[in-house]
Amino acid sequence: MPIKLKQVIVENVKNVEYGVINFKEKEKFLNVVGIYGQNGSGKTTLVDVLELTRKLILNISLDDEDAGMLNAADATVTIEIEEVDTRLIRYIFVLKKVEVENQEIIQVQKEEIQMRILEKYKPTKTIATFDRDSDEIVTFISSNVPASKDALEVILDVITDDQASFLFSSNFLKLINEKDKLSEMIET
């Protein structure tokens, strides 16, 4: 099955306070070859947001220059991709400006991965959630039980890079594979 970008939602990135770009109209995906619009309409912001998303998914640290992209204390990005006519996958992340050693950087504040089977009345399931400010660092919603605090504390001790993704980090993915939770959630 082909996988297509369905929608991008951007809040507080560069000159965009809130914007939604749909790549699917009704039941048909749009074949986008180029992006055009007036100056200041958000074309470069879309490209920059996709680059931020790429970095997070590949677990690459965000650059110091990326901090200039936020036009507020924090920014939220939602990326929806669809395995055509099969399932929708949504990746939501919140970035926050923080000052470290007199330098402004972007910190990954929250991340969430959701999935929905594209059948009538099928609910959206949250696969995993990470919230830097929460006591429950990662929660697997299908079991309604947070991941082991001991395991997560070990992972958090190993992860020293606040500018990289937690949910796509090799240590977290190792935990997922060991517990085999992700495959259980996707099958149910």
Side-chain angles (χ1 to χ4, degrees), residues 174-187:
K174 227 181 274 181
L175 175 70
I176 294 285
N177 289 332
E178 287 171 13
K179 299 279 186 178
D180 211 22
K181 284 183 177 271
L182 189 58
S183 60
E184 289 173 19
M185 286 183 273
I186 291 173
E187 289 173 19

Side-chain angles (χ1 to χ4, degrees), residues 150-169:
D150 293 337
L152 292 171
E153 284 175 16
V154 168
I155 291 172
L156 280 179
D157 287 342
V158 173
I159 295 175
T160 57
D161 191 351
D162 292 344
Q163 292 182 272
S165 170
F166 179 81
L167 295 183
F168 290 101
S169 68

Side-chain angles (χ1 to χ4, degrees), residues 47-169:
V47 173
D48 290 343
V49 161
L50 293 175
E51 174 61 12
L52 285 174
T53 305
R54 183 189 75 81
K55 285 180 178 180
L56 291 174
I57 289 173
L58 294 176
N59 200 37
I60 297 171
S61 292
L62 301 177
D63 302 326
D64 297 337
E65 298 89 45
D66 294 331
M69 284 202 264
L70 278 61
N71 68 16
D74 61 355
T76 303
V77 174
T78 303
I79 303 287
E80 290 185 354
I81 58 172
E82 184 177 312
E83 187 178 339
V84 179
D85 300 327
T86 305
R87 66 178 148 194
L88 174 77
I89 299 169
R90 184 177 298 131
Y91 176 47
I92 304 162
F93 59 92
V94 177
L95 303 175
K96 181 178 182 178
K97 282 185 187 180
V98 294
E99 193 168 309
V100 176
E101 298 174 7
N102 296 324
Q103 187 174 5
E104 200 169 66
I105 65 166
I106 294 181
Q107 183 180 68
V108 180
Q109 194 66 28
K110 294 180 184 179
E111 294 179 279
E112 188 168 311
I113 299 172
Q114 301 173 347
M115 188 204 58
R116 185 171 80 80
I117 303 295
L118 296 176
E119 294 175 11
K120 213 173 194 174
Y121 309 116
K122 289 282 185 175
T124 299
K125 291 183 179 182
T126 299
I127 303 298
T129 301
F130 167 72
D131 185 346
R132 192 168 299 283
D133 294 334
S134 174
D135 288 339
E136 293 178 357
I137 299 163
V138 176
T139 305
F140 298 101
I141 301 301
S142 71
S143 63
N144 289 326
V145 176
S148 157
K149 285 197 185 274
D150 293 337
L152 292 171
E153 284 175 16
V154 168
I155 291 172
L156 280 179
D157 287 342
V158 173
I159 295 175
T160 57
D161 191 351
D162 292 344
Q163 292 182 272
S165 170
F166 179 81
L167 295 183
F168 290 101
S169 68

